[in-house]
Amino acid sequence: MSWIPEFEIGIWNAWIFIIPVIVFWVSGVKFLFSKRMPQSAPPSKMKDKILSNLLVIVMFGSFFYSVFLPLKFGTIWFNVGLIVYFVGLVAIAIALLNFASTPMDKPVTKGMYRYSRNPMFIGWFLLYFGIAIVSISWVYLLITVVFIIITVYLSAFEEAITLECYGKTYKDYMEKTPRWIGFPKSKK
């Protein structure tokens, strides 16, 4: 990892890893979440609006930066990063399938959502971290940290909307399922 980032446009740059990210983001946001979330879902507080917009800027900034970010083939970092990236990609795909197969009148509580209230965010964290590793980029690692900080804050906002939408069913789910990752608690 160099203190001065490498910038070069090339076919074998990190942008290759961004293509599935864009597909998942568009399919998730445009087709799944927009149908499930109530129309009153936009952030209500100025801080939520600012962070939501900052998250989009960070995502698009990372997409743009990836065009100039060469991959580090033949290194152990590349192999480790590739594994982390694919684990994140699979986690997002499974979470999207869980989300899509749940009836609209029920909160998503099956599949990966049984072990985490935010498995898609965990997948995104792993995906971004994997890209930082395959490219050995401290700048992309910094982007990942900013992405994580913003989504950790916004996950509480998202849960408040879901709680408002599904009421007691979601509250019971929240009490037994960890926010990030773990085994569900049994009801006493």
Side-chain angles (χ1 to χ4, degrees):
M1 193 177 303
S2 169
W3 288 110
I4 301 170
E6 288 182 56
F7 289 97
E8 60 182 61
I9 293 179
I11 294 197
W12 298 111
N13 283 0
W15 68 268
I16 294 170
F17 292 106
I18 296 298
I19 294 169
V21 173
I22 293 171
V23 170
F24 283 153
W25 186 65
V26 169
S27 64
V29 171
K30 297 295 179 193
F31 299 113
L32 294 175
F33 300 123
S34 61
K35 292 179 183 174
R36 184 172 287 278
M37 292 305 228
Q39 293 303 317
S40 62
S44 56
K45 292 189 274 184
M46 182 58 92
K47 188 175 185 181
D48 294 334
K49 289 178 186 177
I50 291 170
L51 285 175
S52 293
N53 290 331
L54 184 58
L55 182 65
V56 171
I57 290 168
V58 168
M59 285 185 75
F60 282 107
S62 73
F63 298 168
F64 178 75
Y65 179 55
S66 71
V67 172
F68 303 97
L69 187 59
L71 301 173
K72 302 300 182 190
F73 294 107
T75 65
I76 188 70
W77 293 108
F78 182 83
N79 296 326
V80 170
L82 198 58
I83 292 168
V84 172
Y85 173 84
F86 279 118
V87 168
L89 203 61
V90 168
I92 294 170
I94 292 170
L96 280 171
L97 289 172
N98 296 151
F99 204 91
S101 64
T102 301
M104 293 292 188
D105 60 335
K106 294 185 170 128
V108 184
T109 59
K110 63 181 179 177
M112 291 186 64
Y113 285 87
R114 186 168 177 247
Y115 303 101
S116 171
R117 295 193 312 256
N118 296 289
M120 219 171 296
F121 282 153
I122 293 170
W124 285 104
F125 300 162
L126 291 171
L127 198 135
Y128 268 76
F129 189 56
I131 294 172
I133 296 171
V134 299
S135 59
I136 312 176
S137 171
W138 67 268
V139 174
Y140 216 90
L141 185 61
L142 182 63
I143 290 170
T144 303
V145 170
V146 170
F147 180 85
I148 290 171
I149 290 168
I150 294 170
T151 53
V152 164
Y153 176 82
L154 289 177
S155 67
F157 163 74
E158 184 181 89
E159 285 184 341
I161 292 171
T162 309
L163 185 60
E164 185 180 308
C165 189
Y166 297 107
K168 184 175 176 359
T169 306
Y170 193 73
K171 184 160 180 54
D172 293 344
Y173 168 71
M174 286 175 74
E175 289 173 2
K176 71 176 188 171
T177 307
R179 177 175 273 175
W180 297 111
I181 195 161
F183 291 101
K185 301 172 202 150
S186 59
K187 281 195 142 191
K188 294 177 183 179

